[in-house]
Amino acid sequence: MPVDLNNAQPLAWDSATLDADTKAMLDNLQPNILRAHVREHLSVLFVRFNDAAEGRAFLRHVATTKMKSAREHLREVRDFNAKGGRGTPYVGIGISKAGYRDLGHSVEDVRKFGDRVFRDGMKRRVAEVADPPVETWERTYQREIHAVILIGDAEPEPVAALREEILGELPESARLLGEETGQGMRNPAGDGIEHFGYVDGRSQPLFVKDEVDKEPKQHWNPAFPLSNVLVPDPFAPNPVRHHGSYLVFRKLEQNVRAFKEIEQELADNLGLVGADRDRAGAMLIGRFKDGTPLTSKPKAGGGPVGNDFTFDGDDGSKCPFSGHIRKTNPRSFGREVLMARRGQTYGERTDEPWDDSPPQTRPSGEVGLLFMAFNGSLLNQFEFTQQSWADNPDFENPATGHDPVIGQGDRDIKVAFPKVWGKPELSAPQAQVAQTVTMKGGEYFFAPSLAYLRNL
């Protein structure tokens, strides 16, 4: 029988009673979808094929000799937790609509993908999510990308070695259009952070029982059905058992200097002093730099980064409705919209992102986030989040303002901020903060089943 993607119970992947169809799904699913794979060091290769037979042979070879399954990855994680043994590097593949056509699939074939956003491709969706014009994107992303190859590991050496192997096996008819390099950043507590200096990636939908069991669940249930990330692979030998996921990739450049200036200006405008000045940035992000949720506490600190919270009872006097983590995950509704984010930071820095150095010492560009997320529906998850939540100044309440981090479009309405945490007194209406994150290009891909790739 088909795998029940809508089952709300977390997946007990190593259960002795696991049915044959779910086992087959895990044996043919790419890693990094159901559970994040370590990718402190990441290489992202964008490829164009041009010869269907050679492109298919190349993908088949990579999938057969260099890729592990989701089940193998989960076993490695279990063994690492039990004995500390090293796992193998991550290799993942995504194919664009144009890539499927180049590999020999007809227009009618591609219509089997139910997601029209994927069938359109990112360049044709600029207006829907207020992206910059395609002609302003970096050159790599203006071109027709057929596939993305992701290579990740905890150490740089295995990534570099695999990158050289894979590029050496690329057929002469194919072209490497461009590549990105990601490297994780961590604060002194060991938590992953992004370039503005804030803990990132803490609030994720979880799908496997191992991870769900470790999380507190008094206020927020982190367990999500597989339908948030999986769909049947239409070209696999057996779509009932073989699944894939829609992958969105976006290169987001961050102007750290401007963001830090905005933090200071907002603190000045609100008359915040002393430790309370940190609340200015927290109102933009929704968390303090150490990850403490602003809706839970008026200042940072107090233990591990929290995820067991909701915004229930917070009328915006604690965490503004425009706060990034509130805009993109309201928590009391919209669970079906959440994506499995698997991004990584990029760019070199000479400063420490988490400290209190003055804004003029911060980079104004060439650093940012390689945003990647797996979806069951690009239309109803990624694009809905960007268009209806982040870019919508009237979500979740009228005149809330754009998401100050990833919101795009004209920020022409004025907004107000709570002057004191938890008190109804608001500041005078003021201009929204300027946009400090710029989309530099990207593409929509489908991460097919290993069964498809190995049978090309």
Side-chain angles (χ1 to χ4, degrees):
M1 60 183 295
V3 177
D4 183 3
L5 300 182
N6 295 309
N7 187 343
Q9 295 301 312
L11 181 63
W13 65 273
D14 57 352
S15 168
T17 61
L18 197 66
D19 65 90
D21 287 312
T22 304
K23 289 179 182 177
M25 179 270 287
L26 290 170
D27 285 334
N28 289 281
L29 184 68
Q30 294 192 41
N32 200 40
I33 300 174
L34 294 186
R35 180 167 187 158
H37 195 290
V38 62
R39 57 203 184 284
E40 289 292 291
H41 298 271
L42 181 71
S43 179
V44 185
L45 310 177
F46 298 103
V47 175
R48 180 186 175 102
F49 292 120
N50 305 313
D51 183 284
E54 291 187 349
R56 293 168 81 96
F58 169 75
L59 291 177
R60 181 175 65 246
H61 174 75
V62 172
T64 303
T65 64
K66 296 175 173 61
M67 294 179 70
K68 60 189 169 191
S69 69
R71 190 207 283 264
E72 290 171 309
H73 173 223
L74 293 170
R75 284 179 181 146
E76 287 183 353
V77 173
R78 181 184 61 191
D79 292 346
F80 174 81
N81 290 335
K83 298 175 286 189
R86 268 187 57 82
T88 56
Y90 160 60
V91 177
I93 287 176
I95 304 173
S96 70
K97 175 207 65 176
Y100 277 104
R101 294 283 289 113
D102 192 77
L103 292 171
H105 292 283
S106 68
V107 172
E108 288 301 316
D109 280 345
V110 174
R111 289 200 182 106
K112 293 178 181 178
F113 287 104
D115 196 311
R116 62 183 173 87
V117 171
F118 172 75
R119 298 196 306 267
D120 283 346
M122 193 172 288
K123 297 181 185 67
R124 294 179 61 185
R125 305 293 298 183
V126 165
E128 281 73 12
V129 292
D131 277 341
V134 174
E135 57 267 23
T136 68
W137 295 7
E138 291 184 357
R139 175 60 178 160
T140 294
Y141 305 107
Q142 293 186 37
R143 304 173 76 179
E144 185 180 272
I145 299 170
H146 290 164
V148 59
I149 302 171
L150 307 168
I151 308 167
D153 195 67
E155 303 296 334
E157 293 81 8
V159 174
L162 263 176
R163 174 189 174 278
E164 289 302 312
E165 282 184 33
I166 290 172
L167 288 179
E169 294 160 353
L170 200 64
E172 288 189 9
S173 59
R175 293 289 179 271
L176 177 67
L177 300 181
E179 61 182 303
E180 301 286 358
T181 300
Q183 183 169 341
M185 302 192 306
R186 295 187 178 273
N187 62 18
D191 297 311
I193 61 174
E194 48 72 53
H195 277 285
F196 292 150
Y198 290 77
V199 167
D200 192 28
R202 179 63 184 88
S203 178
Q204 294 273 20
L206 303 181
F207 307 99
V208 296
K209 190 173 184 297
D210 313 49
E211 289 191 291
V212 172
D213 286 349
K214 295 177 181 178
E215 292 286 320
K217 308 172 191 65
Q218 183 178 354
H219 304 288
W220 166 254
N221 180 11
F224 283 72
L226 300 178
S227 57
N228 275 61
V229 287
L230 298 186
V231 295
D233 183 344
F235 299 145
N238 185 356
V240 169
R241 290 186 163 192
H242 304 149
H243 294 73
S245 185
Y246 293 106
L247 170 64
V248 53
F249 178 95
R250 291 161 72 81
K251 184 176 184 179
L252 304 177
E253 184 180 58
Q254 295 175 249
N255 186 338
V256 183
R257 183 179 304 171
F259 187 84
K260 293 301 174 183
E261 290 172 345
I262 287 168
E263 286 180 325
Q264 291 190 355
E265 292 169 3
L266 181 57
D268 291 342
N269 291 343
L270 297 178
L272 306 183
V273 297
D276 197 34
R277 290 181 65 83
D278 291 342
R279 195 162 53 87
M283 284 191 285
L284 303 177
I285 301 294
R287 293 183 186 266
F288 290 93
K289 285 197 290 187
D290 72 346
T292 301
L294 180 59
T295 193
S296 303
K297 297 179 182 179
K299 60 183 180 180
V305 177
N307 190 40
D308 186 25
F309 68 93
T310 69
F311 298 104
D312 295 347
D314 184 353
D315 59 1
S317 63
K318 297 175 182 177
C319 178
F321 288 102
S322 60
H324 171 61
I325 70 166
R326 189 167 189 172
K327 270 279 195 181
T328 55
N329 182 6
R331 290 183 175 253
S332 58
F333 60 91
R335 289 175 62 86
E336 70 281 359
V337 176
L338 295 194
M339 305 164 275
R341 292 171 289 117
R342 302 290 187 253
Q344 186 55 282
T345 49
Y346 75 88
E348 299 291 333
R349 294 182 65 165
T350 57
D351 62 324
E352 301 291 4
W354 59 81
D355 68 15
D356 294 322
S357 298
Q360 57 267 29
T361 67
R362 307 299 194 179
S364 58
E366 298 187 2
V367 300
L369 178 68
L370 304 176
F371 177 85
M372 289 171 274
F374 290 105
N375 301 247
S377 168
L378 292 166
L379 178 66
N380 296 325
Q381 290 174 272
F382 169 71
E383 286 208 352
F384 179 88
T385 299
Q386 187 70 48
Q387 179 187 61
S388 299
W389 288 355
D391 295 348
N392 182 0
D394 294 319
F395 176 79
E396 176 178 351
N397 280 331
T400 291
H402 290 67
D403 180 324
V405 180
I406 64 167
Q408 301 185 136
D410 295 333
R411 302 187 178 193
D412 47 8
I413 69 165
K414 292 188 174 182
V415 297
F417 293 92
K419 298 179 72 172
V420 179
W421 186 86
K423 302 293 184 182
E425 183 183 1
L426 297 177
S427 69
Q430 59 186 69
Q432 294 186 63
V433 300
Q435 185 173 328
T436 55
V437 174
T438 303
M439 189 271 201
K440 307 297 285 186
E443 186 55 278
Y444 294 129
F445 300 96
F446 186 75
S449 65
L450 295 175
Y452 167 80
L453 292 169
R454 291 171 178 171
N455 282 278
L456 280 170

